[in-house]
Amino acid sequence: MTAFNLDEIIADTSAVNSDIRVVQTRQCDESFDARLRAKLEQPPRLHHRDICVDRQSDDVTFNAVRTLFSNSSKALDLELKQRDIVLPGAGDSILSHCHWIPGRIEVMGKHTDYAGGNSLVCATAGRGMAMVSTFIRNDDEHNQSTMKVTIVSVLPFGMEHHATTTAAPYQVEGRPVVHHTIRIPNVKGKAPNHLNKESDGNHRETEAVDWTVYPTAVIHRLHKNFGLFPQSNDENTKSPDSGHGGHIFIAMSSNLPPASGLSTSSAIVTGLFLQLDSHLCLKNSIGYRHAIGEEGDDGTVYNLSTYLGNVENGRDYIKGSFVLEGTVQGGVGTFGGSEDHAAILMGKQNELRLLSFCPTRPASFDMEKIAIDAISPGIIGGKSIHEPLEPSNQESVVPFSSDDLAFVIAYSGAKAEKAGGADGATEASVGYNTASDLARKAFDAYIAGGNNQNVEGVQTLADAIKWERAVATSNKPSIKACMSRRIKAGAFSPDGIDDSNREEYYTELVQRFAQFYDESEYLVPSAAHAISKQSYDALGPIVDASHRNAVNLLKNQIEETAWLPLWARGIENDIRTRPLSVVCANPEVLMNHSTSLEARSQPQRIRALAASAFGAGFGGSCWALVHRHLACDFAQQWSNAYEDRFPTKENNSGLTREFFVTEPGPGAFCM
């Protein structure tokens, strides 16, 4: 990995022509800006905070990412200065490791990954977080083995409430900064101590609270599994600084809207792993090589995404006979999967990825079999899935025409935080875990309803579906109906719940299974195939069905995110004949009213090719797919319509709504 001069990164010349001369003390002759442009490949043509910018500007993504790296570097520099850390020798500059970690768009695959299902995902171009770090070696001969990690975060708009007990005594570009220090004991697996630096310079031990739950969970887990120190008594870790402790400082800055469903939390988890590995060589450890794989092997990145999902949910990572144990406190407090981490690690420009999970792996489908098997009516507006176009196979890599298409993201301004509440829980995390728990209970009911039938190797709902297909006969009822009956039998078994609650319990389990089955088995591969064949007339109804199931069956949507995709598609009137079961303070708010587009004297209303809510739900964001040349106008219309229907003054979250244009971009990379 190339280490760059911190002064060079701070000197952000992305937006203006500058004559700034930078001391070249880094480890290569290529400038930071040149390397960043190469890593970003061809940047998107659109977007930023004011919905859209000059459509001819090819530097928009570069400028946005470059600014984040500059802000992270400024925060790191200020943190070191306020601690009076000075390198020996006049003129010396701190060398830093830099990583870009994008957000992700869940195009399809609502709450499928943790049950072993399928998803269609991509990384976000120009939206994510920049992490910059340095490792200050401890040359004190009496304290060489001590290791500490300090996380420094420039808070984005809407996250000012985190600047409480962990607030830093400085700001970056007018934004508050928070910091948190963790001391790592020189014993592999022992829980680290969490330290905040007080104004008097002393340290006090604290429990991880608020935003610190993420770095705390990551560092605790990595230390438990690999040992976060340069030297290990069992030679489990190899490092260029073997024999010395030290202090790793990691600074980060993000332009992902907070709690937006764009996977800020998974980006933090993934980025912290990459940063710590760059200093401590975690990938060289025996445990990593055996359980996850050798760098460069085909399956390693899939295994790593599975492992990072386990870091976030706290569960054991198991590969064959190798186990990387989970943490008692359960990660960050949500029981999710590895979809987000896979999208962040494997993103490519102009590509979507079709993936299966538990464990993470590439997915492919015979679309002819899916069309034949889709005999259950009502999946897509009362119709079965459209006959596939030739060729019939759908592979894992799904081409995306960025010259013709763009995603418009609507951030509702309603929080979808998965962790960090006063008691460690938020509305989103409770709802998310309820959906996860129902999927697990539906699987348990399926197993219980089989009268001890041997289903060896079946561990998830997706495994159960594969098993049913393997044993299916020509005269057997549809797999969906068969599994629903078996779930009912298990839910009503003597080992089930009280009689008075069984009917409601059965309904919940069957609805959860139905949403998973339709989404994972039919809607995800069908959407991927429609995009691959550029069959957008077919894509729209497929995505509409997915969104409707999220509202009616998964029940993870609020009024705002239920309504946004309907307006984007121009199907608000459907609510009168096909109601949505979202709980609304005012049901009329979801129904079609005359819009103010005419009053605003805007061009004719633009309708999206497809649109849906995405992410954990209970707030967050929605996406709409439109032709690129219409993206800016559509974003403005969508934003205006949303403001008309849900005026800002009635939105009590205090978060800034945001509509922006993006496309599939590169995954996480080191500079």
Side-chain angles (χ1 to χ4, degrees):
M1 162 180 265
T2 300
F4 284 89
N5 181 343
L6 191 60
D7 293 339
E8 179 182 6
I9 310 172
I10 291 174
D12 180 6
T13 61
S14 61
V16 295
N17 293 324
S18 175
D19 233 2
I20 297 176
R21 301 171 78 96
V22 181
V23 179
Q24 302 294 319
T25 60
R26 52 186 146 73
Q27 299 171 351
C28 73
D29 294 330
E30 186 178 24
S31 72
F32 181 87
D33 286 6
R35 174 69 68 89
L36 181 59
R37 287 184 185 277
K39 291 282 188 178
L40 290 173
E41 304 176 42
Q42 294 297 317
R45 302 147 184 82
L46 309 173
H47 90 78
H48 215 234
R49 182 167 297 279
D50 295 327
I51 296 180
C52 287
V53 297
D54 181 4
R55 302 183 187 198
Q56 304 304 314
S57 174
D58 282 340
D59 279 341
V60 173
T61 290
F62 172 79
N63 290 347
V65 175
R66 184 64 179 83
T67 297
L68 292 177
F69 272 115
S70 178
N71 289 344
S72 295
S73 299
K74 291 173 183 177
L76 178 58
D77 185 56
L78 290 169
E79 181 71 18
L80 296 175
K81 287 178 178 176
Q82 71 101 18
R83 291 173 177 265
D84 296 324
I85 295 177
V86 180
L87 292 181
D92 281 357
S93 178
I94 291 177
L95 295 179
S96 58
H97 293 179
C98 306
H99 284 84
W100 169 250
I101 306 96
R104 74 91 183 88
I105 301 173
E106 176 193 79
V107 182
M108 294 286 285
K110 298 173 179 65
H111 285 256
T112 56
D113 57 341
Y114 52 72
N118 305 303
S119 293
L120 182 64
V121 294
C122 68
T124 51
R127 290 282 177 151
M129 61 181 59
M131 289 189 175
V132 178
S133 66
T134 194
F135 183 16
I136 308 298
R137 284 184 51 179
N138 187 355
D139 292 322
D140 182 354
E141 62 180 12
H142 299 295
N143 200 25
Q144 286 187 345
S145 62
T146 299
M147 280 291 298
K148 290 186 288 187
V149 178
T150 292
I151 311 297
V152 183
S153 178
V154 181
L155 294 179
F157 290 95
M159 299 295 284
E160 293 83 356
H161 60 285
H162 285 292
T164 54
T165 59
T166 60
Y170 54 84
Q171 293 188 338
V172 170
E173 300 299 322
R175 300 304 306 155
V177 178
V178 291
H179 56 178
H180 183 64
T181 299
I182 299 173
R183 178 182 289 126
I184 301 170
N186 193 19
V187 178
K188 180 185 172 185
K190 183 177 179 182
N193 296 320
H194 313 289
L195 306 172
N196 287 324
K197 189 168 186 181
E198 296 179 329
S199 58
D200 62 1
N202 295 322
H203 291 83
R204 58 186 172 87
E205 292 193 8
T206 66
E207 293 296 327
V209 295
D210 211 14
W211 71 278
T212 61
V213 67
Y214 291 101
T216 297
V218 174
I219 290 172
H220 187 185
R221 179 64 179 266
L222 296 183
H223 184 58
K224 182 182 182 70
N225 294 155
F226 307 117
L228 286 185
F229 38 81
Q231 182 178 5
S232 173
N233 293 330
D234 63 359
E235 298 184 350
N236 187 55
T237 306
K238 301 175 183 178
S239 167
D241 290 300
S242 181
H244 291 274
H247 198 155
I248 298 175
F249 292 85
I250 303 174
M252 56 188 179
S253 182
S254 172
N255 63 3
L256 293 171
S260 61
L262 288 158
S263 291
T264 304
S265 61
S266 298
I268 292 173
V269 170
T270 303
L272 289 179
F273 170 82
L274 296 175
Q275 283 279 305
L276 291 168
D277 171 64
S278 73
H279 294 289
L280 301 177
C281 301
L282 302 179
K283 293 178 181 178
N284 288 344
S285 71
I286 294 173
Y288 185 96
R289 296 200 307 270
H290 286 176
I292 297 176
E294 299 284 351
E295 191 73 4
D297 288 355
D298 290 342
T300 299
V301 68
Y302 296 100
N303 294 337
L304 177 58
S305 67
T306 299
Y307 171 72
L308 292 176
N310 292 148
V311 170
E312 192 161 346
N313 65 35
R315 293 171 176 164
D316 292 348
Y317 169 88
I318 302 173
K319 181 188 176 187
S321 60
F322 294 98
V323 179
L324 298 176
E325 292 184 354
T327 49
V328 175
Q329 68 268 34
V332 303
T334 50
F335 306 129
S338 55
E339 168 197 290
D340 303 348
H341 314 82
I344 289 167
L345 287 170
M346 289 183 268
K348 297 286 186 183
Q349 181 128 22
N350 301 325
E351 287 183 5
L352 309 179
R353 290 302 304 269
L354 185 58
L355 299 170
S356 298
F357 299 93
C358 298
T360 310
R361 60 200 185 278
S364 61
F365 296 89
D366 184 336
M367 297 305 297
E368 184 176 1
K369 289 183 178 179
I370 286 180
I372 292 173
D373 197 26
I375 61 175
S376 177
I379 295 178
I380 300 177
K383 302 176 182 178
S384 62
I385 287 178
H386 295 70
E387 289 294 327
L389 302 173
E390 295 296 332
S392 62
N393 287 337
Q394 177 56 53
E395 301 301 327
S396 178
V397 175
V398 180
F400 183 93
S401 178
S402 295
D403 289 335
D404 179 44
L405 301 174
F407 285 110
V408 179
I409 305 299
Y411 171 44
S412 67
K415 285 186 181 181
E417 283 186 311
K418 291 194 291 184
D423 59 355
T426 64
E427 181 179 356
S429 69
V430 171
Y432 187 97
N433 288 340
T434 296
S436 176
D437 189 52
L438 283 174
R440 181 185 60 80
K441 289 179 178 177
F443 172 75
D444 290 344
Y446 166 81
I447 296 297
N451 296 320
N452 298 317
Q453 187 176 17
N454 183 17
V455 287
E456 184 177 355
V458 173
Q459 298 180 338
T460 65
L461 280 176
D463 290 340
I465 293 169
K466 292 176 185 175
W467 186 88
E468 289 285 349
R469 284 210 173 101
V471 300
T473 59
S474 58
N475 61 350
K476 190 173 183 178
S478 76
I479 290 172
K480 182 179 179 182
C482 180
M483 291 186 66
S484 294
R485 284 196 293 270
R486 184 161 164 171
I487 290 170
K488 177 180 179 179
F492 278 80
S493 68
D495 294 331
I497 61 175
D498 295 339
D499 291 341
S500 60
N501 295 320
R502 279 182 176 174
E503 188 64 34
E504 181 180 356
Y505 180 59
Y506 159 70
T507 300
E508 286 184 335
L509 296 187
V510 170
Q511 285 184 343
R512 181 67 186 92
F513 166 70
Q515 183 275 332
F516 173 83
Y517 188 87
D518 290 352
E519 182 81 3
S520 181
E521 297 300 307
Y522 298 129
L523 299 177
V524 169
S526 297
H529 196 64
I531 293 173
S532 293
K533 307 309 295 180
Q534 300 182 9
S535 180
Y536 304 127
D537 287 344
L539 177 66
I542 291 168
V543 179
D544 293 343
S546 172
H547 178 67
R548 184 171 293 278
N549 280 354
V551 176
N552 289 347
L553 301 181
L554 193 56
K555 299 181 180 179
N556 69 332
Q557 300 304 314
I558 60 174
E559 296 174 47
E560 292 91 334
T561 57
W563 179 85
L564 276 164
L566 299 180
W567 191 93
R569 291 276 292 145
I571 56 175
E572 308 97 314
N573 280 330
D574 283 6
I575 299 177
R576 297 185 183 277
T577 56
R578 302 181 67 204
L580 295 179
S581 59
V582 64
V583 177
C584 300
N586 176 16
E588 286 293 315
V589 79
L590 292 179
M591 295 187 178
N592 186 39
H593 297 277
S594 60
T595 69
S596 62
L597 289 178
E598 295 80 4
R600 296 175 187 269
S601 300
Q602 290 195 357
Q604 184 176 1
R605 176 174 169 181
I606 302 167
R607 287 172 170 78
L609 302 172
S612 178
F614 68 94
F618 311 99
S621 302
C622 303
W623 62 262
L625 184 69
V626 297
H627 289 294
R628 177 171 288 281
H629 70 281
L630 300 173
C632 285
D633 291 338
F634 172 80
Q636 188 65 64
Q637 290 184 7
W638 205 12
S639 175
N640 291 342
Y642 184 53
E643 179 63 26
D644 288 344
R645 196 67 71 247
F646 300 94
T648 302
K649 64 182 180 180
E650 296 179 8
N651 181 282
N652 297 319
S653 69
L655 298 180
T656 303
R657 302 161 173 201
E658 192 171 353
F659 290 69
F660 61 91
V661 182
T662 188
E663 63 188 27
F669 58 78
C670 64
M671 289 293 294

